[in-house]
Coordinates of all heavy atoms in Angstrom, one line a residue:
C6 N -6.4 -7.4 -6.4 CA -6.7 -7.1 -5.0 C -6.5 -5.6 -4.8 O -5.6 -5.0 -5.3 CB -5.6 -7.8 -4.2 SG -5.7 -7.5 -2.4
L7 N -7.5 -5.0 -4.2 CA -7.4 -3.6 -3.9 C -6.6 -3.4 -2.6 O -6.8 -4.2 -1.6 CB -8.8 -3.0 -3.6 CG -9.7 -2.8 -4.8 CD1 -11.1 -2.4 -4.4 CD2 -9.1 -1.8 -5.8
I8 N -5.7 -2.4 -2.6 CA -4.9 -2.1 -1.4 C -5.3 -0.8 -0.8 O -5.2 0.3 -1.5 CB -3.4 -2.1 -1.7 CG1 -3.0 -3.5 -2.3 CG2 -2.6 -1.8 -0.5 CD1 -1.6 -3.5 -2.8
Y9 N -5.9 -0.8 0.4 CA -6.2 0.4 1.1 C -5.2 0.6 2.2 O -5.0 -0.3 3.0 CB -7.6 0.4 1.7 CG -8.7 0.4 0.7 CD1 -9.9 -0.3 0.9 CD2 -8.6 1.1 -0.5 CE1 -10.9 -0.3 0.0 CE2 -9.7 1.1 -1.5 CZ -10.8 0.4 -1.2 OH -11.8 0.4 -2.1
A10 N -4.5 1.7 2.3 CA -3.5 1.9 3.3 C -3.8 3.2 4.2 O -4.2 4.2 3.7 CB -2.1 2.1 2.7
S11 N -3.7 3.0 5.5 CA -3.9 4.1 6.4 C -2.8 5.1 6.2 O -1.6 4.8 6.0 CB -3.9 3.7 7.9 OG -2.7 3.1 8.3
D12 N -3.1 6.4 6.3 CA -2.1 7.4 6.0 C -2.6 8.7 6.6 O -3.8 9.1 6.6 CB -2.0 7.6 4.5 CG -0.7 8.4 4.1 OD1 0.1 8.7 5.0 OD2 -0.6 8.6 2.9
L13 N -1.6 9.5 7.2 CA -2.0 10.8 7.8 C -1.8 11.9 6.8 O -1.9 13.1 7.1 CB -1.1 11.0 9.0 CG -1.3 10.0 10.2 CD1 -0.4 10.3 11.3 CD2 -2.8 10.1 10.6
N14 N -1.4 11.6 5.6 CA -1.3 12.6 4.5 C -2.6 13.3 4.3 O -3.7 12.7 4.3 CB -0.9 11.8 3.2 CG -0.6 12.7 2.1 OD1 -1.3 13.7 1.8 ND2 0.5 12.4 1.4
P15 N -2.5 14.6 4.1 CA -3.8 15.4 3.9 C -4.6 15.0 2.7 O -5.8 15.3 2.6 CB -3.3 16.9 3.7 CG -1.8 16.9 4.1 CD -1.3 15.5 4.1
N16 N -4.0 14.3 1.8 CA -4.7 13.8 0.6 C -5.5 12.5 0.8 O -6.2 12.0 0.0 CB -3.8 13.6 -0.6 CG -3.1 14.9 -1.0 OD1 -3.8 16.0 -1.0 ND2 -1.9 14.9 -1.5
A17 N -5.3 11.9 2.0 CA -5.9 10.6 2.3 C -7.4 10.9 2.5 O -7.9 11.9 2.9 CB -5.3 10.0 3.6
M18 N -8.2 9.8 2.2 CA -9.7 9.9 2.3 C -10.2 9.4 3.6 O -9.6 8.5 4.2 CB -10.2 9.0 1.1 CG -11.7 8.9 1.0 SD -12.1 7.8 -0.3 CE -12.2 8.9 -1.6
D19 N -11.3 10.0 4.1 CA -11.9 9.5 5.3 C -12.3 8.0 5.1 O -12.9 7.7 4.0 CB -13.1 10.4 5.6 CG -13.8 10.0 7.0 OD1 -13.9 8.8 7.3 OD2 -14.1 11.0 7.7
V20 N -12.0 7.1 6.0 CA -12.3 5.7 5.8 C -13.8 5.5 5.5 O -14.2 4.5 4.8 CB -11.8 4.9 7.0 CG1 -12.6 5.2 8.2 CG2 -11.8 3.4 6.7
R21 N -14.6 6.3 6.1 CA -16.1 6.2 5.9 C -16.5 6.5 4.5 O -17.6 6.1 4.1 CB -16.8 7.1 6.9 CG -16.6 6.7 8.3 CD -17.1 7.7 9.3 NE -16.3 9.0 9.2 CZ -16.4 10.0 10.0 NH1 -17.3 9.9 11.0 NH2 -15.7 11.1 9.8
D22 N -15.7 7.1 3.7 CA -16.0 7.5 2.3 C -15.4 6.5 1.3 O -15.6 6.7 0.1 CB -15.5 8.9 2.0 CG -16.2 10.0 2.8 OD1 -17.4 9.7 3.2 OD2 -15.6 11.0 3.1
L23 N -14.7 5.5 1.7 CA -14.2 4.5 0.8 C -15.3 3.6 0.2 O -16.3 3.4 0.8 CB -13.2 3.6 1.5 CG -11.9 4.2 1.9 CD1 -11.1 3.2 2.7 CD2 -11.1 4.7 0.7
T24 N -15.1 3.1 -1.0 CA -16.0 2.2 -1.7 C -15.5 0.8 -1.4 O -14.5 0.4 -1.9 CB -16.0 2.4 -3.2 OG1 -16.4 3.8 -3.4 CG2 -17.0 1.5 -3.9
W25 N -16.3 0.1 -0.6 CA -15.9 -1.3 -0.2 C -16.5 -2.3 -1.0 O -16.0 -3.4 -1.2 CB -16.3 -1.5 1.3 CG -15.6 -0.6 2.2 CD1 -16.1 0.5 2.8 CD2 -14.2 -0.8 2.7 NE1 -15.1 1.1 3.6 CE2 -14.0 0.3 3.6 CE3 -13.2 -1.7 2.5 CZ2 -12.8 0.5 4.3 CZ3 -12.0 -1.6 3.2 CH2 -11.8 -0.5 4.0
D26 N -17.6 -2.1 -1.7 CA -18.3 -3.1 -2.5 C -18.0 -2.9 -3.9 O -18.6 -2.1 -4.7 CB -19.9 -2.9 -2.3 CG -20.6 -4.0 -3.0 OD1 -20.1 -5.1 -3.2 OD2 -21.8 -3.7 -3.3
V27 N -16.9 -3.5 -4.4 CA -16.4 -3.3 -5.7 C -16.7 -4.5 -6.6 O -16.3 -5.7 -6.3 CB -14.8 -3.1 -5.7 CG1 -14.3 -3.0 -7.1 CG2 -14.5 -1.9 -4.8
D28 N -17.5 -4.3 -7.6 CA -17.9 -5.3 -8.5 C -16.7 -5.6 -9.5 O -16.1 -4.7 -9.9 CB -19.1 -4.9 -9.3 CG -19.8 -6.0 -10.2 OD1 -19.5 -7.1 -9.9 OD2 -20.5 -5.6 -11.1
C29 N -16.5 -6.9 -9.8 CA -15.4 -7.2 -10.7 C -15.8 -8.4 -11.5 O -16.7 -9.1 -11.3 CB -14.1 -7.5 -9.9 SG -14.3 -9.0 -8.9
D30 N -15.0 -8.6 -12.6 CA -15.2 -9.8 -13.4 C -14.4 -11.0 -12.9 O -13.8 -10.9 -11.8 CB -14.8 -9.5 -14.9 CG -13.4 -9.2 -15.1 OD1 -12.5 -9.5 -14.2 OD2 -13.0 -8.6 -16.1
A31 N -14.4 -12.1 -13.5 CA -13.8 -13.3 -13.0 C -12.3 -13.1 -12.9 O -11.7 -13.9 -12.1 CB -14.1 -14.5 -14.0
N32 N -11.7 -12.2 -13.6 CA -10.2 -11.9 -13.5 C -9.9 -10.9 -12.4 O -8.7 -10.6 -12.3 CB -9.7 -11.5 -14.8 CG -9.8 -12.6 -15.9 OD1 -9.6 -13.7 -15.6 ND2 -10.2 -12.2 -17.1
G33 N -10.9 -10.4 -11.7 CA -10.6 -9.4 -10.7 C -10.5 -8.0 -11.2 O -10.2 -7.1 -10.4
N34 N -10.9 -7.7 -12.4 CA -10.9 -6.4 -13.0 C -12.2 -5.7 -12.6 O -13.2 -6.3 -12.6 CB -10.7 -6.4 -14.5 CG -9.4 -7.1 -14.9 OD1 -8.4 -6.8 -14.4 ND2 -9.5 -8.0 -15.9
D35 N -12.1 -4.3 -12.4 CA -13.3 -3.6 -12.1 C -14.3 -3.7 -13.2 O -14.0 -3.8 -14.4 CB -12.9 -2.1 -12.0 CG -12.2 -1.7 -10.7 OD1 -12.2 -2.6 -9.8 OD2 -11.6 -0.6 -10.6
N36 N -15.6 -3.8 -12.8 CA -16.6 -4.0 -13.8 C -17.7 -2.9 -13.6 O -18.6 -3.1 -12.8 CB -17.3 -5.4 -13.6 CG -18.2 -5.8 -14.7 OD1 -18.4 -5.0 -15.6 ND2 -18.9 -6.9 -14.6
D37 N -17.5 -1.8 -14.3 CA -18.3 -0.6 -14.1 C -19.7 -0.8 -14.7 O -20.6 0.0 -14.4 CB -17.7 0.6 -14.7 CG -16.4 1.0 -13.9 OD1 -16.3 0.7 -12.7 OD2 -15.5 1.6 -14.6
D38 N -20.0 -1.8 -15.5 CA -21.3 -1.9 -16.1 C -22.3 -2.6 -15.2 O -23.4 -2.8 -15.6 CB -21.2 -2.7 -17.5 CG -20.7 -4.1 -17.3 OD1 -20.6 -4.6 -16.2 OD2 -20.5 -4.8 -18.4
G39 N -21.9 -3.1 -14.0 CA -22.8 -3.7 -13.1 C -23.2 -5.1 -13.5 O -24.0 -5.7 -12.9
G40 N -22.5 -5.7 -14.5 CA -22.8 -7.0 -14.9 C -22.3 -8.1 -14.1 O -22.7 -9.3 -14.3
G41 N -21.4 -7.9 -13.2 CA -20.9 -8.9 -12.3 C -20.2 -10.0 -13.1 O -19.4 -9.7 -14.1
D42 N -20.4 -11.2 -12.8 CA -19.8 -12.3 -13.5 C -20.5 -12.9 -14.7 O -20.3 -13.9 -15.2 CB -19.5 -13.5 -12.5 CG -20.7 -14.0 -11.8 OD1 -21.8 -13.6 -12.2 OD2 -20.6 -14.8 -10.9
G43 N -21.5 -12.1 -15.1 CA -22.3 -12.5 -16.3 C -23.6 -13.3 -16.0 O -24.4 -13.4 -16.9
D44 N -23.7 -13.8 -14.8 CA -24.9 -14.5 -14.5 C -25.9 -13.7 -13.5 O -26.7 -14.3 -12.9 CB -24.6 -15.9 -13.9 CG -23.9 -15.8 -12.6 OD1 -23.7 -14.7 -12.1 OD2 -23.5 -16.8 -12.0
G45 N -25.7 -12.4 -13.5 CA -26.6 -11.6 -12.7 C -26.0 -11.4 -11.3 O -26.6 -10.6 -10.5
G46 N -25.0 -12.2 -10.9 CA -24.5 -12.0 -9.5 C -23.3 -11.1 -9.5 O -22.8 -10.6 -10.5
K47 N -22.8 -10.8 -8.3 CA -21.7 -9.9 -8.2 C -20.6 -10.7 -7.5 O -20.8 -11.5 -6.7 CB -22.0 -8.7 -7.3 CG -22.9 -7.7 -8.0 CD -23.3 -6.6 -7.0 CE -22.2 -5.5 -7.0 NZ -22.5 -4.3 -6.3
E48 N -19.4 -10.4 -8.0 CA -18.2 -10.9 -7.3 C -17.4 -9.7 -6.7 O -17.4 -8.7 -7.3 CB -17.3 -11.7 -8.3 CG -17.9 -12.9 -8.8 CD -16.9 -13.8 -9.6 OE1 -15.7 -13.7 -9.2 OE2 -17.3 -14.5 -10.5
Q49 N -16.9 -9.9 -5.5 CA -16.2 -8.8 -4.9 C -14.7 -9.1 -5.1 O -14.2 -10.2 -5.0 CB -16.5 -8.7 -3.4 CG -17.8 -8.0 -3.2 CD -17.9 -7.5 -1.8 OE1 -18.2 -8.3 -0.9 NE2 -17.6 -6.2 -1.6
R50 N -14.0 -8.0 -5.3 CA -12.5 -8.1 -5.3 C -12.0 -8.2 -3.9 O -12.5 -7.6 -3.0 CB -11.9 -6.8 -5.9 CG -11.7 -6.8 -7.4 CD -11.3 -5.4 -7.8 NE -9.8 -5.4 -7.9 CZ -9.2 -4.4 -8.5 NH1 -9.8 -3.3 -8.9 NH2 -7.9 -4.4 -8.6
P51 N -10.9 -9.0 -3.7 CA -10.3 -9.1 -2.4 C -9.8 -7.7 -2.0 O -9.3 -6.9 -2.9 CB -9.2 -10.1 -2.6 CG -9.4 -10.8 -3.9 CD -10.3 -9.9 -4.7
I52 N -9.7 -7.4 -0.8 CA -9.2 -6.1 -0.3 C -8.2 -6.4 0.8 O -8.3 -7.2 1.7 CB -10.4 -5.3 0.4 CG1 -11.4 -4.9 -0.7 CG2 -9.8 -4.1 1.1 CD1 -12.6 -4.2 -0.1
C53 N -7.1 -5.7 0.6 CA -6.0 -5.7 1.6 C -6.0 -4.4 2.3 O -5.9 -3.3 1.7 CB -4.6 -5.9 0.9 SG -3.2 -5.8 2.0
I54 N -6.0 -4.4 3.7 CA -6.0 -3.2 4.5 C -4.6 -3.1 5.2 O -4.2 -4.0 5.9 CB -7.1 -3.1 5.5 CG1 -8.5 -3.2 4.8 CG2 -7.0 -1.9 6.4 CD1 -9.6 -3.3 5.7
V55 N -3.9 -2.0 4.9 CA -2.6 -1.8 5.5 C -2.6 -0.7 6.5 O -3.1 0.4 6.2 CB -1.5 -1.4 4.4 CG1 -0.2 -1.2 5.0 CG2 -1.5 -2.5 3.3
M56 N -2.2 -1.0 7.7 CA -2.1 -0.1 8.8 C -0.7 0.3 9.1 O 0.1 -0.7 9.3 CB -2.8 -0.6 10.1 CG -4.3 -1.0 9.8 SD -5.4 0.3 9.3 CE -5.4 1.3 10.8
G57 N -0.3 1.5 9.1 CA 1.1 1.9 9.3 C 1.5 1.9 10.7 O 0.6 1.9 11.6
N58 N 2.7 2.0 11.0 CA 3.3 2.1 12.3 C 2.9 3.5 12.9 O 2.8 4.5 12.2 CB 4.8 2.1 12.1 CG 5.6 2.3 13.4 OD1 5.6 3.4 13.9 ND2 6.1 1.2 13.9
E59 N 2.5 3.5 14.2 CA 2.0 4.7 14.8 C 3.0 5.8 14.8 O 2.7 7.0 14.6 CB 1.7 4.4 16.3 CG 1.1 5.6 17.0 CD 0.6 5.2 18.4 OE1 0.9 4.1 18.9 OE2 0.0 6.1 19.0
D60 N 4.3 5.5 14.8 CA 5.3 6.5 14.8 C 5.7 7.0 13.4 O 5.8 8.2 13.2 CB 6.6 6.0 15.6 CG 7.7 7.0 15.7 OD1 7.3 8.1 16.1 OD2 8.8 6.6 15.5
R61 N 5.9 6.0 12.5 CA 6.4 6.4 11.2 C 5.3 6.3 10.1 O 5.6 6.7 9.0 CB 7.6 5.4 10.8 CG 8.8 5.6 11.7 CD 9.9 4.7 11.3 NE 9.5 3.3 11.3 CZ 9.6 2.5 12.3 NH1 9.9 2.9 13.5 NH2 9.3 1.2 12.2
G62 N 4.2 5.7 10.3 CA 3.1 5.5 9.3 C 3.5 4.5 8.3 O 4.3 3.5 8.6
I63 N 3.1 4.7 7.1 CA 3.4 3.7 6.0 C 4.6 4.3 5.2 O 4.9 5.5 5.2 CB 2.2 3.5 5.0 CG1 1.7 4.8 4.4 CG2 1.1 2.8 5.7 CD1 0.7 4.7 3.3
S64 N 5.3 3.4 4.5 CA 6.4 3.8 3.7 C 6.0 4.6 2.5 O 4.8 4.4 2.0 CB 7.3 2.6 3.3 OG 6.6 1.8 2.4
D65 N 6.9 5.3 1.9 CA 6.6 6.0 0.6 C 6.2 4.9 -0.5 O 5.4 5.1 -1.3 CB 7.8 6.8 0.1 CG 8.0 8.1 1.0 OD1 7.0 8.5 1.6 OD2 9.1 8.6 1.0
E66 N 6.9 3.8 -0.4 CA 6.7 2.7 -1.4 C 5.3 2.2 -1.2 O 4.5 2.0 -2.2 CB 7.7 1.6 -1.2 CG 7.5 0.5 -2.2 CD 8.5 -0.6 -2.0 OE1 9.2 -0.7 -1.0 OE2 8.6 -1.5 -2.9
M67 N 4.8 2.0 0.0 CA 3.5 1.5 0.2 C 2.4 2.5 -0.2 O 1.4 2.2 -0.8 CB 3.3 1.2 1.7 CG 1.9 0.6 2.1 SD 1.8 -1.1 1.5 CE 0.6 -0.9 0.2
R68 N 2.7 3.8 0.0 CA 1.8 4.9 -0.4 C 1.6 4.8 -1.9 O 0.5 5.0 -2.4 CB 2.4 6.2 0.1 CG 1.4 7.4 -0.1 CD 1.9 8.6 0.6 NE 1.9 8.5 2.0 CZ 3.0 8.4 2.8 NH1 4.2 8.5 2.2 NH2 3.0 8.3 4.1
E69 N 2.7 4.6 -2.7 CA 2.6 4.5 -4.1 C 1.9 3.3 -4.6 O 1.2 3.3 -5.6 CB 4.0 4.6 -4.7 CG 4.7 5.9 -4.6 CD 6.1 5.9 -5.1 OE1 6.4 5.1 -6.0 OE2 6.9 6.8 -4.7
L70 N 2.0 2.1 -3.9 CA 1.4 0.9 -4.3 C -0.1 0.9 -3.9 O -0.9 0.1 -4.6 CB 2.1 -0.3 -3.6 CG 3.5 -0.6 -4.0 CD1 4.1 -1.7 -3.1 CD2 3.5 -1.1 -5.5
A71 N -0.5 1.6 -3.0 CA -1.9 1.6 -2.5 C -2.9 2.2 -3.6 O -2.5 3.1 -4.2 CB -2.1 2.4 -1.2
D72 N -4.0 1.5 -3.7 CA -5.0 2.0 -4.6 C -5.7 3.3 -4.0 O -6.1 4.1 -4.7 CB -6.1 0.9 -4.9 CG -5.5 -0.2 -5.6 OD1 -5.1 0.0 -6.8 OD2 -5.5 -1.3 -5.1
E73 N -5.8 3.3 -2.7 CA -6.4 4.4 -2.0 C -5.7 4.5 -0.6 O -5.4 3.5 0.0 CB -7.9 4.2 -1.9 CG -8.6 5.4 -1.4 CD -8.7 6.5 -2.4 OE1 -9.3 6.3 -3.5 OE2 -8.1 7.6 -2.1
T74 N -5.5 5.7 -0.2 CA -5.0 5.9 1.2 C -6.2 6.5 2.0 O -7.0 7.3 1.5 CB -3.8 6.8 1.3 OG1 -4.1 8.1 0.7 CG2 -2.6 6.2 0.6
F75 N -6.3 6.2 3.3 CA -7.3 6.7 4.1 C -6.8 7.1 5.5 O -5.7 6.7 5.9 CB -8.4 5.6 4.2 CG -8.0 4.4 5.0 CD1 -8.2 4.3 6.4 CD2 -7.4 3.3 4.3 CE1 -7.8 3.2 7.1 CE2 -7.0 2.2 5.0 CZ -7.2 2.1 6.4
Y76 N -7.6 7.8 6.2 CA -7.3 8.1 7.6 C -8.6 7.7 8.5 O -9.7 7.6 7.9 CB -7.0 9.5 7.9 CG -8.1 10.5 7.6 CD1 -9.0 10.9 8.6 CD2 -8.3 11.0 6.3 CE1 -10.1 11.7 8.4 CE2 -9.4 11.9 6.1 CZ -10.2 12.3 7.1 OH -11.3 13.1 6.9
L77 N -8.3 7.3 9.7 CA -9.4 7.0 10.6 C -9.6 8.2 11.5 O -8.8 8.6 12.3 CB -9.0 5.8 11.5 CG -8.7 4.5 10.8 CD1 -8.0 3.5 11.7 CD2 -10.0 3.9 10.3
P78 N -10.8 8.8 11.4 CA -11.1 10.0 12.3 C -11.2 9.5 13.7 O -11.7 8.4 14.0 CB -12.4 10.5 11.7 CG -13.0 9.3 11.0 CD -11.9 8.5 10.5
M79 N -10.7 10.3 14.6 CA -10.8 10.0 16.0 C -11.7 11.0 16.7 O -11.6 12.2 16.5 CB -9.4 10.0 16.7 CG -8.5 8.9 16.2 SD -7.0 8.7 17.1 CE -6.1 10.1 16.5
C80 N -12.6 10.5 17.6 CA -13.5 11.4 18.3 C -13.2 11.2 19.8 O -12.7 10.2 20.3 CB -14.9 11.0 18.0 SG -15.4 11.0 16.3
G81 N -13.6 12.2 20.5 CA -13.4 12.2 22.0 C -12.0 12.4 22.4 O -11.3 13.3 21.8
F82 N -11.5 11.7 23.4 CA -10.2 11.9 24.0 C -9.1 11.0 23.5 O -8.0 10.9 24.0 CB -10.3 11.8 25.5 CG -11.2 12.9 26.1 CD1 -12.5 12.5 26.6 CD2 -10.8 14.2 26.1 CE1 -13.3 13.5 27.1 CE2 -11.6 15.2 26.7 CZ -12.9 14.8 27.1
A83 N -9.4 10.2 22.4 CA -8.5 9.2 21.9 C -7.3 10.0 21.2 O -7.5 10.9 20.5 CB -9.1 8.3 20.9
E84 N -6.1 9.5 21.5 CA -4.9 10.0 20.9 C -4.3 9.1 19.9 O -3.5 9.5 19.0 CB -3.9 10.4 21.9 CG -4.3 11.6 22.8 CD -3.3 11.9 23.8 OE1 -2.1 11.5 23.7 OE2 -3.6 12.7 24.7
S85 N -4.6 7.8 20.0 CA -4.1 6.8 19.0 C -5.0 5.6 19.1 O -5.9 5.4 19.9 CB -2.7 6.4 19.4 OG -2.7 5.8 20.7
F86 N -4.8 4.7 18.1 CA -5.5 3.4 18.0 C -4.6 2.3 18.5 O -3.4 2.3 18.2 CB -6.0 3.1 16.6 CG -7.0 4.1 16.2 CD1 -6.7 5.1 15.3 CD2 -8.3 4.0 16.6 CE1 -7.7 6.0 14.9 CE2 -9.3 4.8 16.2 CZ -9.0 5.9 15.3
N87 N -5.1 1.3 19.1 CA -4.3 0.1 19.5 C -4.8 -1.0 18.6 O -5.8 -1.6 18.8 CB -4.5 -0.2 21.0 CG -3.6 -1.3 21.4 OD1 -3.2 -2.2 20.6 ND2 -3.4 -1.4 22.7
L88 N -4.0 -1.3 17.5 CA -4.4 -2.3 16.6 C -4.4 -3.7 17.1 O -5.1 -4.6 16.7 CB -3.5 -2.2 15.3 CG -3.7 -1.0 14.5 CD1 -2.7 -1.0 13.3 CD2 -5.1 -0.9 14.0
S89 N -3.6 -4.0 18.1 CA -3.5 -5.3 18.7 C -4.8 -5.6 19.5 O -5.2 -6.8 19.6 CB -2.3 -5.4 19.7 OG -2.5 -4.6 20.8
V90 N -5.5 -4.6 19.9 CA -6.8 -4.8 20.6 C -8.0 -4.8 19.6 O -8.9 -5.5 19.7 CB -7.0 -3.7 21.7 CG1 -8.4 -3.8 22.3 CG2 -6.0 -3.8 22.7
A91 N -7.8 -3.9 18.5 CA -8.9 -3.8 17.5 C -9.1 -5.1 16.8 O -10.1 -5.4 16.4 CB -8.5 -2.6 16.6

């Protein structure tokens, strides 16, 4: 399972630049050769998206466990996101 975690760290990637379509083998390992599951099809790895607390963000432990950290760019007059509505 890939873990993507929201993070305000300057090293975090813009969410629009993440690779969401990850080809894998039957065991869930990355498959860079494009072979999929061997029958010409593709299998996708499960993805877990972690959203941090607005005040404290994600923990250092979560940051280390994440395969990739990302930030959500905000446009206009928005100051925060309401995940309960999203």
Side-chain angles (χ1 to χ4, degrees):
C6 178
L7 288 174
I8 301 173
Y9 292 148
S11 65
D12 195 3
L13 297 177
N14 184 314
N16 296 326
M18 179 181 271
D19 186 316
V20 70
R21 297 170 290 191
D22 295 330
L23 290 175
T24 302
W25 296 99
D26 186 25
V27 179
D28 188 21
C29 65
D30 64 18
N32 295 321
N34 299 313
D35 287 346
N36 189 3
D37 293 332
D38 65 4
D42 58 8
D44 64 2
K47 287 178 85 172
E48 291 191 30
Q49 281 197 281
R50 268 176 96 170
I52 295 174
C53 174
I54 299 173
V55 177
M56 302 299 290
N58 176 288
E59 184 175 8
D60 185 43
R61 295 181 306 273
I63 60 173
S64 68
D65 290 337
E66 181 181 14
M67 183 70 251
R68 191 172 289 110
E69 290 177 22
L70 290 172
D72 293 295
E73 190 71 62
T74 57
F75 67 90
Y76 65 90
L77 296 168
M79 293 190 286
C80 302
F82 298 105
E84 292 182 12
S85 67
F86 292 103
N87 187 334
L88 292 178
S89 66
V90 175

